Amino acid sequence: MLKSRTFLKKTRAGGVMKIVREHYLRDDIGCGASGCAACGGAHEGTVLEPQPLDRVSSVCPQPHYLLPDTNVLLHQIDVLEDPAIRNVIVLQTVLQEVRNRSAPVYKRIRDVTNNQEKHFYTFTNEHHRETYVEQLQGETSNDRNDRAIRVAAKWYNEHLKKMSAENQLRVIFITNDRKNKEKAIEEGIPAFTCEEYVKSLTAHPELIDRLACLSEEGIILQGLKNLNRAVHEDIVAVELLPKNQWVAPSSVVLLDEGQNEDDMEKEEERERILKTAVSEKMLKPTGRVVGIIRRNWRPYCGMLSKSDIKESRRHLFTPAEKRIPRIRIETRQASTLEGQRIIVAIDGWPRNSRYPNGHFVKNLGEVGDKETETEVLLLEHDVPHQPFSQAVLSLLPKMPWRITEKDMKNREDLRHLCVCSVDPPGCTDIDDALHCRELENGNLEVGVHIADVSYFIRPGNALDQESARRGTTVYLCEKRIDMVPELLSSNLCSLRSNVDRLAFSCIWEMNHNAEILKTRFTKSVINSKASLTYAEAQMRIDSAAMNDSITTSLRGLNKLAKILKKRRIENGALTLSSPEVRFHMDSETHDPIDLQTKELRETNSMVEEFMLLANISVAKKIHEEFSEHALLRRHPAPPPSNYEILVKAGKSKNLEIKTDTAKALADSLDRADSPTFPYLNTLLRILATRCMMQAVYFCSGMDTDFHHYGLASPIYTHFTSPIRRYADIIVHRLLAVAVGADCTYPELTDKHKLADLCKNLNFRHKMAQYAQRASVSFHTQLFFKSKGIVSEEAYILFVRKNAIVVLIPKYGLEGTVFFEEKDKPKPRLTYDDEIPSLKIEDTVFHIFDKVKVKIMLDSSNLQHQKIRMSLVEPQIPGISVPTDTSNMDISEPERKKKKLQK
């Protein structure tokens, strides 16, 4: 039997090549069981024993073979290699997944299958007529493979009944995936976890010691003693402590008062608070560091804490990163460096010292200065921001630059189309432009035109290497750290209006119901007719007086986008929420004078829909052409434990939030409305966003799960922002080869190098996000420094054992209100984790309750200035502060300073 897929491919010469991929299904593949009359002599290599009686299991006393899934092979290979485990069926599906995910484990399992004494049999289920399964519409690769394994297990049990009705030979499915196990049992397949099965082998108790402990939470290291001079990001060897010494993650929030005193007792007090405030059922594996395998020290930014001893050269340096210990340095410049941001490097950590030793490297400038603080956050988040080298700049085109006849070769001239761009105000690095027009046949032509950055950045040169190292453009509140030089980002690549620009176009023919009839990709030349902001584009769409070609195009795009979004949501895509803020700056001082949450318009959604559609279309194309080497982006489904807080929050408002699938979650959020509390739905979506996993880049040949959970798309990539994301440049190169517009190069089709590149891109994107948040935080502090003390309405996002975390919608600001403070009487607190709620005296707080808080900037710790919030309403005697700011006790910072000077 033959299964085949046919598709057409455009060659570089402009011709069309028909490609047929064939998948043969056979009837003559043996089951591997020795003496099986149905299979005859079809077995190859090592075969399974006819009567496997070497191990007696309490969960399955009958003779049986084992059939493990991929994760069991990956994580429990030590168990499978033990001489006690024999007669195992290794499916082709499982073997292929293991090969993609771990070369060392793959080699070990191949060695085991080649050992005839072990009787491991490789069954090619992907080519057996009765066990091959096709991927269903909307099914992830991972779910398809799980189903294929269950189908093979079921087939084996039915097949073996024909061989030996007397001895009742069975196949036991071994999986640690709870849902997969439940489905197997529902389908009548005997299924157990690896631990259940190993513990059932009473004759081999030693096997239990070989079980891998799969703890997703990792091991808790608490306290200086257990850290044993290890520094954050070091690679360490850890010893697991006895269970009676385990601790639990605490719901107590510790008020950060800064590291101003060399006080061992304070550290011990913090540990005591964390240990006493936990429930025994919440205990997690806890350990201590017994060895440091590799130090990952780097230069650290921070401030000098000058010694009280006169003329002393030895001082303590307090890093800005709170997870790094203070460092002892020797310097003669202490008086000069006090109140400055400096860089210090660690030299070593003597065994008998509480602090590591280091040395002064560089003075960055005065603490609080905007330039200095920006430099600190860029250094602390490892954002490459040095000026581009001469080697990089020498590769830029010479000005004036223009498009030549040679450039037009293999390009389509689309300058006649009414193309326009829609971006945030002030945007100069314009990646994308759009057009929509009606065709003669009544259908619509829609185009997404993306800057052709790969034309200017050729593989392997200095410009390409620097762009790959940076990975992404970083957007701070007042500064942009470009991935590529400004000549490209804001000029030659930017799709500005009324200039000819090189582009890579994705063009669809659609009907009026936004159904794609044809898709084509082409390198092109465009001339944008307008560079609009979201507000300007919205005004054109809404204005009855405007009917020019640009406005007509925008209205057509907007109409289709609404249909696309509706269909996407019906398929299970999530519509989440995250408060984004915009600062209004003083034109002279560049200090923030206003802070507002960003307003989203229909045009934001319009652009987003077509960018998503282009990314999905390109992902399908490059994976079709490069099944092993496509750079894709996936969004893993969160584990059920992530949703606990969301489900509890909904329950507290009598709402059922279902989280079985993305579709169930999306539907639950859509239904979660309250006429008396309109902001409830937004709060639930904000909370749902916190439950999500991080989306990541990966190489298609190194993984099998392509699914994007948030978008409910089986495949996805990034194509639409090559000026600011290096991943998009690689995707452009893959697509160019796929459509015959460019040639390939060795690194492009090396999946291991692509996997390494993805690792760096994921790191750079994560660090860019952290740097952007730090920039927002710093500018928020500047805003409240000039604004003074204000009172605003807020909603509770989380309740802790001694605090509430609130969100202030007006500013998109999140903060913690503490109810236990030093030198103040402790209130009566009762925390309920199930509801969840916090009772303070006689007042009970639940998630999403409305409160009023007072906001002020706490500058008591110069290094870690922060927004401090206090409860105003509801009024609780001894807890709430008065509304009148004149009565507010703002002398706390001064009191702390006096305390330090003693």
Side-chain angles (χ1 to χ4, degrees):
M1 185 179 174
L2 181 67
K3 295 256 180 189
S4 64
R5 286 174 60 206
T6 306
F7 55 93
L8 302 177
K9 178 181 176 182
K10 188 179 178 183
T11 64
R12 260 179 260 168
V16 176
M17 182 190 295
K18 183 178 179 182
I19 295 178
V20 179
R21 286 192 180 149
E22 297 178 338
H23 189 92
Y24 290 91
L25 299 181
R26 295 164 51 181
D27 296 314
D28 59 346
I29 297 172
C31 69
S34 179
C36 176
C39 296
H43 315 306
E44 293 177 7
T46 307
V47 293
L48 303 162
E49 291 177 297
Q51 293 298 319
L53 299 170
D54 52 317
R55 58 180 181 267
V56 178
S57 164
S58 59
V59 295
C60 185
Q62 303 97 328
H64 56 269
Y65 303 135
L66 300 181
L67 193 152
D69 71 359
T70 307
N71 284 322
V72 170
L73 243 67
L74 283 169
H75 302 300
Q76 306 294 352
I77 183 67
D78 291 328
V79 172
L80 295 172
E81 285 178 330
D82 192 278
I85 302 296
R86 293 146 56 98
N87 294 292
V88 176
I89 300 161
V90 181
L91 298 182
Q92 180 189 2
T93 306
V94 171
L95 207 55
Q96 285 173 345
E97 281 195 283
V98 171
R99 186 178 187 177
N100 288 334
R101 289 166 65 179
S102 175
V105 173
Y106 177 74
K107 184 181 182 304
R108 287 170 72 180
I109 202 66
R110 292 303 298 175
D111 290 343
V112 173
T113 52
N114 290 332
N115 181 353
Q116 294 190 3
E117 292 179 3
K118 290 280 287 174
H119 297 280
F120 273 51
Y121 180 70
T122 305
F123 178 60
T124 49
N125 62 307
E126 296 290 354
H127 290 279
H128 194 288
R129 186 199 292 268
E130 293 181 52
T131 58
Y132 172 73
V133 298
E134 290 195 26
Q135 191 165 347
L136 303 176
Q137 185 71 30
E139 187 178 39
T140 68
S141 299
N142 194 49
D143 287 345
R144 180 262 170 204
N145 288 345
D146 284 348
R147 188 163 57 87
I149 295 167
R150 293 196 305 273
V151 165
K154 191 169 185 178
W155 175 84
Y156 254 105
N157 276 308
E158 290 171 358
H159 177 79
L160 292 175
K161 283 178 186 175
K162 302 171 190 173
M163 173 186 160
S164 176
E166 295 174 5
N167 294 314
Q168 299 177 327
L169 251 177
R170 302 177 81 187
V171 167
I172 293 180
F173 179 37
I174 305 294
T175 178
N176 290 328
D177 185 325
R178 181 176 54 82
K179 286 189 177 178
N180 204 12
K181 180 188 168 189
E182 287 171 2
K183 286 180 182 177
I185 292 168
E186 283 173 17
E187 293 167 15
I189 303 164
F192 302 96
T193 65
C194 192
E195 185 177 358
E196 287 170 344
Y197 181 76
V198 167
K199 286 182 176 178
S200 77
L201 301 176
T202 51
H204 299 282
E206 74 283 354
L207 274 179
I208 297 171
D209 296 341
R210 304 196 75 170
L211 279 169
C213 177
L214 302 175
S215 172
E216 289 183 5
E217 283 88 9
I219 296 172
I220 296 173
L221 302 173
Q222 191 179 87
L224 292 172
K225 186 179 176 183
N226 287 337
L227 280 171
N228 194 11
R229 294 175 293 138
V231 175
H232 176 59
E233 291 185 340
D234 284 351
I235 296 173
V236 298
V238 172
E239 177 188 35
L240 200 63
L241 294 173
K243 280 196 175 182
N244 61 359
Q245 294 180 40
W246 285 12
V247 297
S250 176
S251 293
V252 172
V253 185
L254 294 176
L255 179 60
D256 175 37
E257 297 173 354
Q259 289 177 299
N260 295 305
E261 302 168 47
D262 188 3
D263 189 356
M264 195 72 166
E265 289 178 12
K266 182 183 281 189
E267 188 65 38
E268 289 170 356
E269 175 65 12
R270 288 164 68 92
E271 286 181 38
R272 186 191 64 76
I273 293 169
L274 289 173
K275 283 179 180 175
T276 54
V278 300
S279 162
E280 290 215 6
K281 64 179 181 180
M282 299 295 289
L283 294 177
K284 301 290 181 189
T286 306
R288 67 184 184 97
V289 174
V290 292
I292 294 163
I293 297 164
R294 190 172 75 229
R295 290 287 194 189
N296 278 322
W297 293 340
R298 59 176 174 83
Y300 300 103
C301 300
M303 289 180 68
L304 192 72
S305 302
K306 192 180 173 187
S307 172
D308 292 335
I309 303 169
K310 201 175 179 181
E311 303 298 324
S312 174
R313 293 184 191 174
R314 302 186 79 191
H315 308 275
L316 282 175
F317 163 82
T318 306
E321 168 58 74
K322 295 177 185 178
R323 290 173 293 189
I324 305 300
R326 288 195 284 174
I327 303 164
R328 199 185 303 281
I329 67 167
E330 286 196 27
T331 178
R332 300 166 187 264
Q333 309 173 57
S335 299
T336 311
L337 298 178
E338 201 172 15
Q340 303 284 302
R341 289 282 198 179
I342 64 173
I343 297 177
V344 162
I346 298 179
D347 299 323
W349 196 334
R351 190 170 185 174
N352 59 350
S353 172
R354 188 181 172 206
Y355 302 112
N357 293 331
H359 65 272
F360 167 74
V361 175
K362 185 181 179 182
N363 186 357
L364 296 174
E366 190 177 348
V367 66
D369 175 73
K370 271 195 290 186
E371 287 297 317
T372 302
E373 296 302 328
T374 300
E375 179 76 6
V376 168
L377 74 87
L378 290 172
L379 288 168
E380 280 301 292
H381 294 100
D382 197 13
V383 175
H385 60 286
Q386 297 75 21
F388 288 97
S389 68
Q390 200 52 49
V392 169
L393 298 175
S394 67
L395 294 167
L396 296 175
K398 302 292 180 282
M399 298 300 285
W401 176 85
R402 61 177 176 271
I403 297 168
T404 64
E405 284 298 317
K406 185 182 176 184
D407 296 330
M408 292 301 296
K409 192 179 179 183
N410 291 330
R411 279 185 192 275
E412 208 170 318
D413 192 341
L414 303 178
R415 286 175 284 194
H416 61 285
L417 294 177
C418 187
V419 173
C420 68
S421 62
V422 185
D423 291 283
C427 178
T428 59
D429 52 344
I430 304 171
D431 286 289
D432 54 90
L434 300 148
H435 89 269
C436 177
R437 63 172 179 167
E438 192 161 343
L439 299 172
E440 291 179 2
N441 61 8
N443 291 328
L444 297 169
E445 180 186 83
V446 177
V448 166
H449 311 276
I450 306 300
D452 188 6
V453 182
S454 61
Y455 167 86
F456 296 97
I457 302 179
R458 301 308 296 164
N461 66 21
L463 177 55
D464 182 47
Q465 288 171 6
E466 181 61 19
S467 303
R469 186 176 78 90
R470 295 186 176 218
T472 180
T473 293
V474 182
Y475 295 91
L476 306 180
C477 292
E478 267 194 291
K479 194 173 186 177
R480 188 180 80 201
I481 314 297
D482 281 325
M483 182 185 78
V484 298
E486 191 178 13
L487 178 64
L488 296 183
S489 65
S490 296
N491 188 349
L492 301 184
C493 290
S494 184
L495 304 182
R496 301 188 299 180
S497 56
N498 303 313
V499 288
D500 292 349
R501 286 290 177 259
L502 301 177
F504 209 149
S505 301
C506 174
I507 300 170
W508 303 279
E509 183 178 332
M510 294 181 175
N511 60 24
H512 288 264
N513 196 32
E515 292 166 336
I516 298 171
L517 306 174
K518 290 179 188 173
T519 306
R520 66 187 181 95
F521 307 97
T522 180
K523 292 260 186 166
S524 61
V525 179
I526 65 165
N527 187 301
S528 175
K529 303 302 182 280
S531 298
L532 306 172
T533 65
Y534 290 116
E536 289 168 346
Q538 193 67 55
M539 185 194 70
R540 281 175 174 267
I541 290 169
D542 296 340
S543 173
M546 300 190 78
N547 289 295
D548 57 282
S549 53
I550 293 171
T551 307
T552 304
S553 177
L554 286 169
R555 285 181 185 142
L557 289 165
N558 197 41
K559 184 182 175 185
L560 291 169
K562 287 178 181 176
I563 299 169
L564 288 169
K565 185 172 184 177
K566 184 173 180 287
R567 189 177 300 146
R568 208 164 49 79
I569 290 168
E570 284 171 355
N571 288 336
L574 296 172
T575 307
L576 301 175
S577 182
S578 183
E580 290 188 64
V581 296
R582 180 178 294 282
F583 293 94
H584 296 272
M585 303 292 185
D586 186 287
S587 56
E588 293 182 6
T589 64
H590 296 284
D591 286 336
I593 54 175
D594 197 11
L595 172 60
Q596 295 175 338
T597 51
K598 289 182 183 177
E599 183 185 352
L600 296 178
R601 298 177 172 85
E602 273 188 3
T603 44
N604 291 79
S605 180
M606 176 189 80
V607 173
E608 181 187 18
E609 286 307 315
F610 286 107
M611 297 306 110
L612 293 175
L613 190 62
N615 287 335
I616 292 167
S617 296
V618 170
K620 289 175 181 175
K621 180 67 178 176
I622 62 172
H623 183 248
E624 192 177 81
E625 293 290 326
F626 301 97
S627 60
E628 292 283 300
H629 312 108
L631 193 155
L632 302 175
R633 188 164 176 82
R634 75 163 180 270
H635 182 214
S641 58
N642 280 30
Y643 286 126
E644 283 178 8
I645 188 66
L646 178 65
V647 172
K648 287 178 181 178
K651 196 175 178 182
S652 71
K653 297 295 176 186
N654 298 316
L655 295 168
E656 185 184 10
I657 307 293
K658 293 185 177 178
T659 60
D660 300 342
T661 63
K663 172 72 174 160
L665 176 59
D667 290 344
S668 295
L669 292 173
D670 288 342
R671 289 192 299 268
D673 274 326
S674 172
T676 58
F677 188 5
Y679 199 62
L680 174 64
N681 193 265
T682 303
L683 288 169
L684 280 166
R685 292 182 191 276
I686 289 170
L687 210 54
T689 307
R690 309 293 172 90
C691 302
M692 294 298 122
M693 304 290 281
Q694 185 76 37
V696 291
Y697 296 110
F698 70 102
C699 173
S700 61
M702 302 294 281
D703 215 316
T704 54
D705 183 12
F706 296 1
H707 191 69
H708 196 291
Y709 180 80
L711 298 174
S713 177
I715 194 166
Y716 190 68
T717 193
H718 273 162
F719 162 77
T720 54
S721 297
I723 295 177
R724 61 185 179 89
R725 290 189 306 232
Y726 188 76
D728 302 51
I729 293 176
I730 295 294
V731 170
H732 275 230
R733 290 173 181 169
L734 289 164
L735 184 62
V737 175
V739 299
D742 206 344
C743 54
T744 186
Y745 57 97
E747 287 80 6
L748 195 65
T749 52
D750 185 328
K751 64 182 181 182
H752 296 288
K753 286 188 178 176
L754 270 178
D756 289 340
L757 175 65
C758 288
K759 190 177 178 182
N760 178 59
L761 294 179
N762 290 330
F763 172 74
R764 292 296 177 202
H765 276 259
K766 183 172 70 173
M767 288 297 107
Q769 284 181 335
Y770 291 165
Q772 284 157 209
R773 288 175 199 164
S775 180
V776 169
S777 177
F778 174 64
H779 281 77
T780 303
Q781 290 169 14
L782 289 179
F783 171 71
F784 282 105
K785 188 175 184 179
S786 59
K787 184 90 172 170
I789 301 165
V790 296
S791 295
E792 290 294 343
E793 288 184 342
Y795 293 97
I796 298 175
L797 275 184
F798 305 100
V799 292
R800 303 295 189 222
K801 288 191 175 180
N802 61 335
I804 55 172
V805 180
V806 300
L807 173 73
I808 301 166
K810 182 178 178 180
Y811 299 126
L813 179 65
E814 197 176 307
T816 305
V817 179
F818 291 94
F819 298 119
E820 284 184 336
E821 294 194 43
K822 207 172 180 182
D823 303 326
K824 286 188 179 181
K826 287 190 177 182
R828 191 172 71 253
L829 302 177
T830 309
Y831 175 70
D832 187 337
D833 183 46
E834 287 305 311
I835 298 179
S837 67
L838 177 64
K839 186 177 181 181
I840 304 162
E841 301 297 340
D842 297 319
T843 306
V844 182
F845 292 96
H846 297 91
I847 290 179
F848 303 151
D849 282 358
K850 193 175 185 178
V851 294
K852 192 172 187 180
V853 297
K854 190 161 284 185
I855 314 160
M856 63 174 285
L857 178 67
D858 180 357
S859 303
S860 58
N861 183 335
L862 280 176
Q863 169 132 268
H864 295 121
Q865 296 186 49
K866 57 185 173 289
I867 302 297
R868 188 182 284 268
M869 295 185 186
S870 305
L871 186 70
V872 176
E873 293 176 6
Q875 291 189 352
I876 304 172
I879 299 291
S880 302
V881 295
T883 309
D884 183 8
T885 56
S886 62
N887 296 328
M888 181 74 177
D889 180 13
I890 55 173
S891 61
E892 182 74 14
E894 292 301 319
R895 201 162 67 235
K896 285 189 179 179
K897 286 178 185 173
K898 286 175 186 174
K899 184 181 174 185
L900 294 175
Q901 289 166 3
K902 285 179 183 177

